[in-house]
Each structure stands twice: as structure tokens, then as C-alpha cells.
């Protein structure tokens, strides 16, 4: 009833667990960015269909995965290899697609991030992501922290999926977010030049994705933005309720925002 798209690049450690949570699907596709480890070999052994494409950007890669693969089913679940699908979500998704309302083309699902063996229930800016889609009715924009644009209505599902962003260790997470911060800095500079922030859109825009874009535009212009993010996570989102993992994660996100600011200033002064 549901096809699955898993995006990979050197995911031999996480991919088996991800696919093991998807045994209910008879159409699992691994869209691989030319891995150099055993990712492709393992995907084939586990019964997934593998397509490889050289990586040229996050949005372009996701769009290629959605639009260049012939899926068996009209609905596709999009995952990364460090994510798994609990049984409750599987049941809810299958129930939904069996009688999806006309005009609905995508579903937003809560993502539960885990760190130090604990669910970061509070220490997340926005834990909802559009992941169940009709591929011919959606597309990604923005090359880092991509935004999904839907040609139709998006609805919310109740049950979450699980994400393990630190499964490969702190060093891997830091290296990845160092790359992300470089791309975000370039995007920040571009947005500052091209878009005037709208408080009205940030607060009242009906479409969730458009609202997030407006909120980011305002956030990128705040003074002391890294400190603002830390305070928001710790006080407004109550990251302290997640204990040491929550407070550690809040500090990591503050450092990430600081790197973006430093790199953006470097670009603007060059």
C-alpha cells in the first residue's frame, strides 16, 4: 500500500535497522549518493531496489528520488537511514492511504529525536516533517534544511517516527553540521538580500511550510541569534526537562547557529 524512499550516503551502520522496520512494505527503494562503503551491497541483500545518483544538492537529490523512480504505490514514505518506523505509525499510515480524502497529497509526521539514549521531547525547534507524500504532487526547494512544497492539502498524522541523529557519534554529527552551516550561511546571505521578513506571515500564514520560511527570515535578522536560539530551546521549549541530553543538545544547536553567523559575515565581507 505504501512505497518507501530511503536516501543514503555511506549508511552501512544504520541502513539494516531502518529496513528492518519496513518489512511491511513490498516496495522499498534506496536512493544512494554513490556510497563508498557497503551501503549498496547491504541494500541489495535486504531486498531493497537500489538507484544511484551523484549528489549535487539536498533538494535536487530528494526531487530526483521522488520523480525519477517508478513506484509501485501512489503514496511514498520518505526516510533517512537513521530513522525507523514504529508499528503504530505503520498502522496509521496504511489506514490513512486506504481512504485518503480527495485533495490531500501529503502528511506531516512528528519526528522523535534521540540523544544519549533519551527522546528529546522538548529540545526541538519544530519536530514535524512532511514525509508521506504523493510524489507527483510535491517537490523540494531550498538546498539545505529543505522545504517541501505540495500541490494540494497537507494533513497531520498522530503517531511519530524515530530518528537517531547521533547514531554514528558526535564527531559525525559535528562534521555534518559544519557542512550544513556553510550552506546555511550562503542561504542566509541570499535571503537577506532577496527577502524582506514578514511578521504577519510568520505568525498567521496558514501553510505550515510557508510559515516556517517566514519565521526563518525573521530569525536570521535577530541580534545575538545563537543565544536567542539557546534561550528559546531551554526556556520556551523547556529543554531542561530532557535532562543532560536536552541541555547538551541546546548547546550544540547554539554553536551551530554561531557558525552560520560567522560564515555569513565572512561571505558578506569578502
Amino acid at each position: 500500500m505504501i512505497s518507501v524512499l530511503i536516501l543514503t550516503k555511506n549508511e552501512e551502520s544504520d541502513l539494516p535497522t531502518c529496513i528492518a522496520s519496513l518489512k511491511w512494505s513490498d516496495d522499498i527503494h534506496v536512493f544512494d549518493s554513490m556510497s563508498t562503503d557497503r551501503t549498496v551491497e547491504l541494500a541489495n541483500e535486504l531486498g531493497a531496489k537500489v538507484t544511484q545518483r551523484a549528489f549535487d544538492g539536498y533538494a535536487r537529490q530528494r526531487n530526483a528520488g521522488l520523480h525519477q523512480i517508478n513506484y509501485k504505490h501512489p503514496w511514498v514514505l520518505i526516510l533517512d537511514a537513521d530513522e525507523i518506523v514504529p508499528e503504530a505509525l505503520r498502522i496509521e499510515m496504511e489506514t490513512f492511504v486506504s481512504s485518503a480524502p480527495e485533495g490531500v497529497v501529503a502528511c506531516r509526521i512528528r519526528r522523535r529525536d534521540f540523544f544519549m539514549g533519551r527522546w528529546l521531547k522538548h529540545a526541538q525547534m519544530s519536530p514535524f516533517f512532511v514525509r508521506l507524500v504523493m510524489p507527483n504532487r510535491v517537490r523540494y526547494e531550498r538546498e539545505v534544511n529543505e522545504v517541501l512544497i505540495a500541490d494540494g492539502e497537507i494533513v497531520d498524522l498522530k503517531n511519530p517516527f524515530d530518528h537517531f541523529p547521533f547514531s554514528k557519534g558526535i564527531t559525525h554529527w559535528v562534521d555534518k553540521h559544519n557542512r550544513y552551516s556553510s550552506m546555511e550561511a550562503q542561504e542566509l546571505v541570499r535571503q537577506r538580500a532577496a527577502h524582506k521578513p514578514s511578521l504577519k506571515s510568520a505568525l498567521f500564514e496558514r501553510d505550515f511550510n510557508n510559515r516556517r520560511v517566514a519565521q526563518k527570515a525573521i530569525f536570521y535578522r535577530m541580534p545575538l541569534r545563537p543565544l536567542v536560539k539557546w534561550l528559546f530551546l531551554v526556556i520556551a521549549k523547556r529543554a531542561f526537562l530532557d535532562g543532560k541530553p536536552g541541555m547538551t543538545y541546546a548547546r550544540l544547536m547554539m554553536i551551530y547557529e554561531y557558525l552560520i553567523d560567522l560564515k555569513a559575515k565572512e561571505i558578506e565581507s569578502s
Side-chain angles (χ1 to χ4, degrees):
M1 299 177 69
I2 300 172
S3 298
V4 180
L5 169 64
I6 308 172
L7 294 112
T8 61
K9 175 63 185 279
N10 294 336
E11 296 287 358
E12 64 179 8
S13 61
D14 286 332
L15 186 62
T17 303
C18 177
I19 292 181
S21 75
L22 302 168
K23 292 181 179 179
W24 45 267
S25 176
D26 62 354
D27 191 41
I28 300 174
H29 294 263
V30 168
F31 197 70
D32 184 71
S33 300
M34 312 306 290
S35 290
T36 56
D37 64 358
R38 296 183 63 242
T39 296
V40 171
E41 179 184 348
L42 287 171
N44 285 318
E45 290 177 359
L46 294 168
K49 304 174 183 70
V50 178
T51 302
Q52 287 192 290
R53 178 183 184 272
F55 181 85
D56 61 351
Y58 290 100
R60 285 189 289 272
Q61 195 75 354
R62 288 182 178 271
N63 284 330
L66 284 174
H67 303 145
Q68 294 179 11
I69 292 175
N70 293 319
Y71 293 103
K72 182 176 180 179
H73 305 293
W75 286 89
V76 174
L77 175 67
I78 306 165
L79 292 175
D80 292 329
D82 58 359
E83 297 169 342
I84 65 171
V85 176
E87 180 68 5
L89 177 58
R90 189 272 299 177
I91 294 171
E92 183 180 13
M93 289 190 300
E94 291 186 346
T95 301
F96 173 82
V97 302
S98 67
S99 58
E102 186 176 354
V104 174
V105 301
C107 296
R108 192 178 293 109
I109 308 174
R110 183 186 181 104
R111 190 182 74 187
R112 300 194 305 180
D113 287 357
F114 287 81
F115 182 35
M116 298 180 177
R118 182 167 181 168
W119 170 28
L120 299 176
K121 184 177 181 179
H122 304 277
Q124 286 182 273
M125 287 291 288
S126 178
F128 297 96
F129 297 84
V130 180
R131 291 300 190 88
L132 183 63
V133 304
M134 302 185 77
N136 61 331
R137 303 289 299 277
V138 300
R139 70 187 186 281
Y140 282 96
E141 296 181 356
R142 202 177 188 274
E143 281 306 320
V144 62
N145 292 321
E146 317 80 65
V147 175
L148 186 140
I149 306 300
D151 178 23
E153 185 180 354
I154 301 174
V155 299
D156 295 336
L157 298 183
K158 295 180 180 179
N159 289 286
F161 66 100
D162 293 339
H163 178 220
F164 300 88
F166 297 91
S167 60
K168 301 179 187 67
I170 292 290
T171 298
H172 180 271
W173 189 95
V174 170
D175 288 345
K176 182 171 71 173
H177 281 75
N178 185 40
R179 295 193 301 272
Y180 282 178
S181 66
S182 297
M183 298 176 72
E184 282 282 14
Q186 294 172 350
E187 183 68 16
L188 187 156
V189 172
R190 187 191 68 80
Q191 286 195 5
R192 281 175 177 170
H195 299 291
K196 183 179 179 180
S198 169
L199 182 60
K200 180 179 178 181
S201 295
L203 295 176
F204 304 113
E205 172 65 46
R206 292 183 63 185
D207 183 87
F208 178 83
N209 287 326
N210 291 338
R211 191 163 68 248
R212 285 190 67 190
V213 170
Q215 289 169 353
K216 271 183 171 289
I218 293 173
F219 181 56
Y220 279 148
R221 286 166 171 79
M222 282 186 175
L224 302 175
R225 192 168 57 84
L227 179 60
V228 170
K229 184 159 189 177
W230 183 85
L231 290 171
F232 181 80
L233 288 174
V234 172
I235 297 175
K237 301 290 288 185
R238 299 181 298 169
F240 62 89
L241 294 178
D242 294 327
K244 181 179 178 180
M247 296 300 292
T248 302
Y249 183 76
R251 288 194 292 271
L252 287 172
M253 294 309 297
M254 180 177 67
I255 293 169
Y256 172 59
E257 296 296 342
Y258 184 55
L259 287 174
I260 295 172
D261 274 359
L262 286 177
K263 293 178 180 181
K265 290 174 182 176
E266 185 177 62
I267 294 170
E268 290 172 332
S269 64
S270 62

